[in-house]
Amino acid sequence: MKKDLWIGGEYRSASSYMELKNPFNLESLAQVGIANHEDVQVAIAAAEQAQVKMAELPAFERAEILEKVVQFLRDDREECARIIALEGAKPLKAARTEVDRTIMTYTFAAHEARKIHGETVPMDAAPGGQGRLAFTVREPLGVIAAITPFNFPMNLVAHKVGPAIAAGNSVVLKPASQTPLSAFKIADYFHRAGLPAGALNVITGSGRSIGDILMKDDRIKMITFTGSPEVGTYIRENSGLKRVTLELGSNSALIVDEGVGLNQVIPRIVTGAFAYQGQVCISIQRIFVHENIFETFVEQFVRETQKLKAGDPLEEDTDISAMITRGDVQRTQSWVDEAVKNGAELRLGGSAEEGIFQPTVLVNVASTEKVSCEEVFAPVVHINTFTEFNEAINLVNDSKYGLQAGIFTNDIHKALQAAKKLEVGGVMINEIPTFRVDQMPYGGVKMSGMGREGIKYAVEEMTELKLISFKTE
């Protein structure tokens, strides 16, 4: 199967192609076009031309286009889940959940398209402002470049494309090289839904070469990126005055206080640590457990983790499958081996077979180990103890990241203390940090990025506020 570039409402042949393989069995899935400099320029020009139509498209028509996409996704739910499972090795039941979330994301985008509004400004609140009527409106920025990762190839595309279309922008989308098929499927849905040609363009290929062109082109008004801190920093430093939003990952932490019902929370924590092989930006990586319940927690956590089934992502009962590349398996193995060599205790896992890294549980890991201080993005979690609650807060904050954190406690005072003192973009009380619903504001502090996703908040990022003032006297 050959997948060409999607530009200006039609497929455009590329000058060269790359082979896309299934991460689980390494079987060939498609030959995917590699966009060159000219292809990217044509995509930007198509988006700029379509932007005129998008800016004039009434809000109800933008909403109806998004609602049609929602219906297409509902109709093709199983097909879309299989695409995600094949190109990303995401277990099928998790892939179905992603499709369901994608449906909700575009549904929220349709709602927001109808709600974009400004406000009146009381000019007479200041001396000299009397005799004036003023209000604000929100206008689309223009052409938005969206660069998305492999781990949620439909829903993270939706979190960028959905609000962009809702706000009347046009988009040049660069999906992850490993998961372009989901993006092409969404482009087809928007085309069938009646989106003006060129309002959504999908270009595949080298992230570095395409990204450099997008950053330097003045026709691009905003870049929205999800990926590594290194690439995000590079984009921020080289995008000039473009608006930039960055979601750059984390080493998310969870605090488990004494007195918590472990039988109730441990299955949830295991899910938060190992869902999609830990390849989730808010996957639980660090767990800090009160010393009085530490051994009991570890024993129960290991037992629950052992219930997970590894295998083919297309099998209904698979919980864990292959990591996205064999190189990531090797990196993970190296980090785990290094932690054990330096004194960490391996309680479960620690090895890989045919691309599947076994769910791994480490205890008593130094904060300087890569499995702790870096984003492991793998099915690896470590569990450490704390004595005083302030110590747990400090352990969580001892990180260059700050996306989301969770805490399980029965003490409202500790919960409020955590809410105030944790240096993260979102605090989940009596919940895992991996929790996310798609209308909530989502983003981090420190090296976890800047700006917020969540449709309402992304629309604000993707629009410009304009003031109109009438002198009436």
Side-chain angles (χ1 to χ4, degrees), residues 31-208:
Q31 297 294 320
V32 180
I34 300 175
N36 58 26
H37 187 276
E38 180 185 353
D39 296 323
V40 180
Q41 293 293 329
V42 172
I44 296 171
E48 184 182 39
Q49 186 174 358
Q51 177 55 39
V52 178
K53 293 182 180 179
M54 286 299 297
E56 295 176 352
L57 206 61
F60 79 91
E61 290 189 23
R62 300 196 302 272
E64 287 175 351
I65 289 169
L66 289 158
E67 287 163 351
K68 288 177 183 176
V69 171
V70 167
Q71 190 57 53
F72 293 146
L73 283 161
R74 287 195 176 114
D75 294 342
D76 296 344
R77 177 177 183 260
E78 193 65 18
E79 178 187 354
C80 290
R82 288 183 67 86
I83 291 172
I84 294 169
L86 283 169
E87 66 178 352
K90 179 172 286 190
L92 193 56
K93 54 190 176 184
R96 291 191 186 108
T97 299
E98 179 177 349
V99 176
D100 292 340
R101 285 185 60 190
T102 304
I103 288 169
M104 286 306 306
T105 301
Y106 283 121
T107 299
F108 285 125
H111 293 168
E112 289 301 325
R114 290 187 165 95
K115 291 164 56 179
I116 298 171
H117 63 278
E119 61 183 6
T120 56
V121 180
M123 302 295 277
D124 61 351
Q130 63 269 27
R132 288 171 173 80
L133 171 66
F135 59 92
T136 60
V137 295
R138 286 198 168 271
E139 296 183 339
L141 289 180
V143 180
I144 293 179
I147 305 173
T148 56
F150 74 85
N151 57 331
F152 286 87
M154 281 200 176
N155 197 38
L156 290 186
V157 165
H159 270 284
K160 300 182 187 306
V161 172
I165 299 301
N169 297 290
S170 58
V171 182
V172 177
L173 170 63
K174 163 60 178 77
S177 296
Q178 180 56 47
T179 53
L181 302 183
S182 297
F184 284 121
K185 190 68 173 175
I186 291 298
D188 176 65
Y189 288 156
F190 272 104
H191 182 65
R192 288 166 52 193
L195 188 70
L200 174 58
N201 308 275
V202 181
I203 51 175
T204 48
S206 165
R208 180 62 179 264

Side-chain angles (χ1 to χ4, degrees), residues 252-258 260 262 265 269 284 286-290 293 297 384-397 404-410 414-415 417-419 421-422 427-433:
S252 294
L254 173 70
I255 298 170
V256 183
D257 195 17
E258 61 180 335
V260 170
L262 297 184
V265 304
I269 299 171
I284 300 172
R286 302 178 293 149
I287 305 176
F288 301 107
V289 180
H290 193 279
I293 60 170
F297 179 92
N384 286 16
T385 65
F386 70 88
T387 303
E388 299 294 334
F389 192 72
N390 279 336
E391 177 191 358
I393 296 288
N394 292 335
L395 288 168
V396 174
N397 288 341
Q404 292 193 166
I407 172 175
F408 284 102
T409 182
N410 295 326
K414 291 178 180 177
Q417 182 183 356
K421 292 189 175 182
L422 287 174
V427 178
M428 305 295 118
I429 298 171
N430 287 329
E431 182 56 282
I432 55 177

Side-chain angles (χ1 to χ4, degrees), residues 261-273:
L262 297 184
N263 291 336
Q264 287 73 46
V265 304
I266 282 179
R268 180 72 171 156
I269 299 171
V270 168
T271 297

